[in-house]
Amino acid sequence: MLFRSFASLGVSTSVADGALKDGRITGELRYPSCNKTAPGLEVCAEAVGSRDTTACTSDFEATEAGELTYTLDVPAGRYLVFARTPIVRGGQYRAYFSQAVRCGLEVGCDDHAPIEIGVRPGQTVSGVHPSDWLRGTEPPKPQPLVN
């Protein structure tokens, strides 16, 4: 297995030998509610350049530390990854994996631009944590991250 780390970006990728045409996006889901999960919470990938949803999941696994993890199977392409729940603006609010998330969502992390995730055939992109519940409903222009 070929493995390439983008540690400085907080994202890593791997490509399996004999790669398939689809890839995967994985990460942790963080919802700001004292470690409780909102009803109907899901993580989705939307194709860059449209708001068309390519894949969604509400199937989460808990880590030993209590974090919720997800996996999205997607065709090769470029995506913005977000979380949503029907209890926040009727499901229209999208909490993206953004520059503010990479910054730690600390005071001074003011760049809420979603990060564009590139997925190649057979590749798994990990470390994608859609948890920017602090931005508005319209996504700012995406920032390239993984080719």
Side-chain angles (χ1 to χ4, degrees), residues 95-125:
Y96 286 91
F97 174 55
S98 70
Q99 298 295 338
V101 172
R102 283 189 41 224
C103 176
L105 295 171
E106 304 276 333
V107 172
C109 296
D110 299 326
D111 185 353
H112 297 279
I115 298 171
E116 191 175 298
I117 304 298
V119 180
R120 294 186 308 267
Q123 179 183 36
T124 297
V125 180

Side-chain angles (χ1 to χ4, degrees), residues 66-142:
E67 297 288 342
L68 296 177
T69 62
Y70 73 91
T71 298
L72 289 173
D73 293 319
V74 295
R78 302 193 73 71
Y79 299 96
L80 303 180
V81 178
F82 64 91
R84 66 181 171 194
T85 174
I87 66 169
V88 178
R89 295 188 188 158
Q92 298 304 305
Y93 186 91
R94 295 177 175 196
Y96 286 91
F97 174 55
S98 70
Q99 298 295 338
V101 172
R102 283 189 41 224
C103 176
L105 295 171
E106 304 276 333
V107 172
C109 296
D110 299 326
D111 185 353
H112 297 279
I115 298 171
E116 191 175 298
I117 304 298
V119 180
R120 294 186 308 267
Q123 179 183 36
T124 297
V125 180
S126 59
V128 179
H129 313 306
S131 53
D132 191 352
W133 296 94
L134 304 174
R135 51 157 293 285
T137 58
E138 288 301 314
K141 183 178 179 183

Side-chain angles (χ1 to χ4, degrees), residues 5-6 19 24 33-34 37-38 42 45-46 50 64-65 70 74-75 82 87 90 92 106 115 118 126 129-130 142 147:
S5 176
F6 292 87
R24 287 188 165 165
S33 181
C34 301
T37 303
E42 64 181 353
E46 70 182 48
S50 76
E64 289 182 23
Y70 73 91
V74 295
F82 64 91
I87 66 169
Q92 298 304 305
E106 304 276 333
I115 298 171
S126 59
H129 313 306
N147 293 325

